[in-house]
Amino acid sequence: MKAIVIGAGIGGLTTAVALRRRGIEVEVYEAGPQWRDSGTGLGLASNATKVLDALGVDLSAGSPLEYFSIRTTAGKQLRELPIGAITAELGSPIVNIHRTDLIATLRAAAGDTPIRLGARLSGYTRTGDGVTALFEDGTSAHGDVLIGADGIGSQVRAQVAGAAPVTEHGYVCWLATVPFSDPRLPAGHANHYWGRGVRFGLIDIGGGRVYWWGTKNLPVEQARTWNGGKDAIATVFAGWAPEVTEVIDRTPDAAIHTVPAQDRPFLEVWGDGPVTLLGDAAHPMLTSLSQGGSSSVEDAYVLAHHLASDPDPLSALRGYENARRDRTRMLVAQSRKLSTLEQIQNPAVVRLRDAVIRVAPMSVLRKQNLAPMRFDLPVEQFVES
Ligand SMILES: Cc1cc2nc3c(=O)[nH]c(=O)nc-3n(C[C@H](O)[C@H](O)[C@H](O)COP(=O)(O)OP(=O)(O)OC[C@H]3O[C@@H](n4cnc5c(N)ncnc54)[C@H](O)[C@@H]3O)c2cc1C
C-alpha cells in the first residue's frame, strides 16, 4: 500500500505521520518551493492534542491554555474561563503554538517520509491499479490512494467535486506573531476583546512570544482586497486596551498577514475511487471554534485507522469519509454560528451578547466549550498479515 498525499500543511503532514505509524508507505507533494516561516499561530483544541499525543508528536514548543478571558475593548474583563481545569475532563489540553514550530515538529515526527517541495498538482488520473498524480512541472507519482490535503483552494477537490467559489463572510482577519510580554497576558492565557463587528485576540504561544489576530466587518469585496498595512490596523484598534495597541505597535508591518473570512458550503461527497479529501480541502470552516486545523488532525488519524484496518483501499477511503461526515458538518455549521455572534455589529445586540456572557452559568459555558472538543480515538483494529 502506498499513499500519495498532496499538500504539506497541518493535515497533510499529520496524515504522513499517522500512516507511517501504521506501517503504510507514504509520499508527500507540496506546491511551495521551500519551507517558510508562517508568522502566525494557532490553537490546537483538546481533540487535536489527544490525537497528536497518541501519535507521539511533541507539542512542548507551544503553551497549554489555562485561562481564557473575554474582555471589553477597553480591557475590562467580562468573563474568565479556567479552561485548563475545564479541559482536564477531556484528558488533553488546548495548546497554542507557533505554526512554524508545529510544522517543524510534524516534519520531525514524519521521519524520513519523502516530501517533495515545489510539486504543484495539476490533476490526477485513475488507473486500473490506483491513481497517478500529475504535477505542473510535467512529473508524476503513482500510488494506491491519493489524499487531497491541499487546503481551501484544493485542486484535488476541484477534480473530485467541480470547481466552485468560496463563501465570503464579510470580514477580514489580520494575524501576526511577535515577541511580547505583558502582565495583562501571563503565560497560559488568551484574551479576546469584543467590540462591535471588530475583535482582537492576544494569545501566549510560549517562548516569550504572542500570537495576535484582529477582525473587522467589511463588505466582501473590501475584505478580499484589503491592503491597508499596520497604520490602518492601528487606527481600527485606537483607544482599545493598552496591551492591544502596544502589541500592534511592536509588530513589524511585514509580519502582519491578512486573510478574508472564508469557508465553503459543506461537501457531502469527498471521494472519487482511490482519491479522498482531508482538512480544509474537504471541509474548510471559519476560525471561531479553532477547529479547522484541529479537525484535519482528527481526519488524519481516522483515515490512517481505516487504511490500516480495511484490506480494500477503496472501501477504507469510503469508511473514513463516512466516519468524518457528520462531525465535520457539525463543526462547519457551529463555526458559522459562533462567528455570527462574535462579529455582531448592532449596538443593542452587542450589549445583550456581552450581558449574557457576564451572567451565563459556568456549567453552560463549560458544556459549550467542551462539546466540539469531544472526540474518541477509533479503536485499533489490526489486520492479520
Ligand atoms: C485567521 C485564521 C486563524 C485560524 N486559527 C485556527 C486555530 O486557532 N485552530 C485551528 O485548528 N485552526 C485554525 N485555523 C484553520 C487552519 O489554519 C486550517 O484549517 C488548517 O491550516 C488546514 O490545514 P490543511 O493542511 O488542511 O490545509 P493548509 O494548511 O492550507 O495546507 C495545504 C497545503 O497544500 C499546499 N497546496 C495547495 N495547493 C497545492 C497543489 N495544487 N499541489 C500541491 N500542494 C498544494 C499548500 O501550499 C499548503 O502547504 C485558522 C485559519 C485562519 C485563516
Side-chain angles (χ1 to χ4, degrees):
M1 162 76 79
K2 182 168 112 184
I4 301 284
V5 174
I6 306 300
I10 298 168
L13 287 175
T14 310
T15 302
V17 176
L19 291 175
R20 288 293 297 267
R21 295 283 189 266
R22 305 300 180 103
I24 296 171
E25 189 186 346
V26 54
E27 290 172 2
V28 181
Y29 293 84
E30 162 59 42
Q34 62 212 20
W35 299 107
R36 40 187 181 89
D37 182 357
S38 94
T40 64
L42 88 161
L44 287 168
S46 295
N47 45 311
T49 61
K50 183 191 229 177
V51 169
L52 293 170
D53 183 52
L55 292 174
V57 175
D58 172 22
L59 294 177
S60 57
S63 172
L65 182 62
E66 293 297 336
Y67 289 95
F68 171 52
S69 165
I70 298 174
R71 297 171 181 244
T72 65
T73 58
K76 188 165 168 267
Q77 189 161 283
L78 290 169
R79 199 67 189 259
E80 183 172 71
L81 299 186
I83 204 82
I86 290 175
T87 53
E89 183 189 317
L90 302 174
S92 45
I94 296 170
V95 173
N96 291 306
I97 189 165
H98 198 295
R99 274 177 194 259
T100 306
D101 291 346
L102 176 60
I103 293 294
T105 193
L106 288 171
R107 279 173 60 197
D112 60 1
T113 302
I115 303 178
R116 210 184 108 201
L117 301 178
R120 181 173 290 280
L121 183 100
S122 53
Y124 64 82
T125 314
R126 290 173 56 175
T127 59
D129 61 346
V131 53
T132 300
L134 308 166
F135 299 100
E136 283 185 356
D137 61 6
T139 59
S140 63
H142 186 77
D144 297 288
V145 294
L146 182 144
I147 297 143
D150 48 344
I152 190 168
S154 171
Q155 184 63 34
V156 182
R157 177 183 173 124
Q159 190 165 342
V160 168
V166 293
T167 305
E168 300 181 273
H169 289 270
Y171 61 99
V172 68
C173 312
W174 302 292
L175 316 90
T177 50
V178 66
F180 187 74
S181 67
D182 187 294
R184 287 156 293 206
L185 188 82
H189 282 237
N191 296 346
H192 286 193
Y193 305 79
W194 282 6
R196 291 175 37 205
V198 187
R199 286 181 303 130
F200 197 86
L202 187 57
I203 299 128
D204 168 50
I205 53 169
R209 301 160 303 173
V210 297
Y211 160 49
W212 67 256
W213 52 259
T215 64
K216 180 176 167 51
N217 290 354
L218 285 172
V220 288
E221 173 71 24
Q222 283 180 40
R224 195 188 316 128
T225 57
W226 196 90
N227 64 354
K230 175 173 149 175
D231 290 347
I233 298 170
T235 305
V236 170
F237 294 99
W240 284 43
E243 62 274 23
V244 170
T245 54
E246 276 166 33
V247 78
I248 296 172
D249 187 48
R250 298 252 195 98
T251 308
D253 217 327
I256 302 174
H257 301 255
T258 303
V259 286
Q262 297 177 333
D263 65 3
R264 289 181 183 277
F266 190 77
L267 184 66
E268 295 291 337
V269 178
W270 304 353
D272 173 21
V275 177
T276 196
L277 301 172
L278 182 142
D280 275 9
H283 46 71
M285 60 188 77
L286 293 174
T287 61
S288 295
L289 273 186
S290 292
Q291 281 291 350
S294 301
S295 60
S296 76
V297 168
E298 281 183 11
D299 287 350
Y301 196 92
V302 176
L303 174 63
H305 166 78
H306 280 266
L307 282 172
S309 39
D310 188 333
D312 174 3
L314 267 64
S315 127
L317 295 187
R318 301 299 87 80
Y320 148 75
E321 292 153 10
N322 291 336
R324 298 300 294 154
R325 195 171 293 109
D326 286 351
R327 174 154 168 80
T328 52
R329 190 194 298 107
M330 178 275 285
L331 292 174
V332 170
Q334 292 294 327
S335 299
R336 281 191 179 187
K337 267 194 193 160
L338 187 56
S339 158
T340 305
L341 179 79
E342 289 174 336
Q343 291 299 128
I344 287 172
Q345 200 154 345
N346 178 299
V349 188
V350 165
R351 275 198 297 279
L352 181 65
R353 176 195 68 187
D354 294 358
V356 169
I357 276 293
R358 240 185 252 121
V359 300
M362 187 54 84
S363 59
V364 172
L365 297 176
R366 177 188 175 92
K367 201 171 156 199
Q368 282 176 345
N369 273 273
L370 286 176
M373 294 192 283
R374 289 191 192 281
F375 172 68
D376 293 325
L377 298 182
V379 178
E380 304 288 338
Q381 286 169 26
F382 292 105
V383 187
E384 285 176 34
S385 56

